[in-house]
Amino acid sequence: MDLAKTLKAAQKDKKQLIAFLQKFDEIVPPDLEQIVAEEDKKTWEVVNCTTCANCCKTMTPIFTQEDTDRIANHLGISSEAFFEKYLEVEEDTGSTINKVFPCVFLVDNMCSIYAVRPIDCAEFPHHDKKPFDDYNDTFIQNVHRCPATYDLVKRLKTRIETEYDF
Ligand code: SF4
Ligand code: SF4
């Protein structure tokens, strides 16, 4: 995957893909979960996170206290020292986030704390969350940033517009 080219295309398609996703606020195809599962499988046949890491470069996960404790323990430092060194509280939301981007744990395009990474990272890009449409705001936010979400939403748009009067 050519990341720069993909992100450029995603930026160009963003408006129409967001408009498609916003329709889920009004109407949800009855077999949406099945469609998402089938199309998501195809997405992961063409998108490889190890050649991307755009989420780690441009977004931050939200750290729970459990994440902080687990990672600090893995690094052999106290949770307080870990927080002080790497994290901060976001003013608007009160969420605990990375101080800097790209994430300091991204090394050679790979997560250096993969086994103990935040749950938010492990679950990203949240395609298998249910019901899918409850996470619409996340997909709307990420459709031009995450090549996997971009690919999935394009597939969903094509399929749902073909199979339904949507
Ligand atoms: S989850 Fe999305 S943004 Fe993150 S590495 Fe995979 S394709 Fe890239
Ligand atoms: S902890 Fe790992 S997976 Fe999460 S943002 Fe940092 S490098 Fe990426």
Side-chain angles (χ1 to χ4, degrees):
M1 176 179 68
D2 181 331
L3 181 60
K5 208 169 145 189
T6 304
L7 292 177
K8 198 172 167 195
Q11 189 64 42
K12 189 169 146 273
D13 295 344
K14 178 177 145 182
K15 208 170 154 189
Q16 49 155 321
L17 294 177
I18 288 176
F20 163 75
L21 286 170
Q22 282 170 336
K23 289 192 196 168
F24 288 147
D25 292 341
E26 307 294 325
I27 180 169
V28 177
D31 53 351
L32 180 64
E33 302 303 330
Q34 181 62 27
I35 294 174
V36 169
E38 289 170 12
E39 297 305 319
D40 195 41
K41 209 169 157 207
K42 295 177 198 164
T43 287
W44 293 114
E45 282 165 13
V46 296
V47 177
N48 177 355
C49 289
T50 61
T51 63
C52 174
N54 199 46
C55 44
C56 310
K57 291 171 193 160
T58 63
M59 307 174 219
T60 174
I62 291 170
F63 290 73
T64 63
Q65 188 59 51
E66 289 75 22
D67 293 328
T68 304
D69 295 343
R70 185 176 63 254
I71 300 166
N73 184 49
H74 172 81
L75 298 174
I77 57 176
S78 70
S79 298
E80 292 72 25
F82 176 74
F83 182 93
E84 190 59 34
K85 192 164 179 191
Y86 299 111
L87 306 180
E88 66 183 16
V89 174
E90 193 174 42
E91 219 178 288
D92 311 352
T93 62
S95 300
T96 301
I97 59 170
N98 268 334
K99 253 182 191 159
V100 296
F101 309 96
C103 177
V104 292
F105 300 110
L106 187 69
V107 179
D108 295 334
N109 236 31
M110 305 282 280
C111 179
S112 60
I113 54 163
Y114 189 79
V116 293
R117 68 199 187 285
I119 294 300
D120 198 20
C121 300
E123 294 184 347
F124 196 85
H126 307 294
H127 292 178
D128 48 7
K129 288 276 175 63
K130 291 180 179 55
F132 182 82
D133 51 292
D134 270 9
Y135 293 83
N136 228 5
D137 288 348
T138 303
F139 307 129
I140 285 172
Q141 247 179 24
N142 295 340
V143 73
H144 65 297
R145 296 176 173 150
C146 169
T149 297
Y150 172 52
D151 187 88
L152 175 63
V153 176
K154 270 197 307 179
R155 289 177 190 278
L156 294 178
K157 183 174 185 302
T158 302
R159 180 156 168 193
I160 290 171
E161 287 179 352
T162 305
E163 293 182 9
Y164 291 90
D165 184 16
F166 197 74

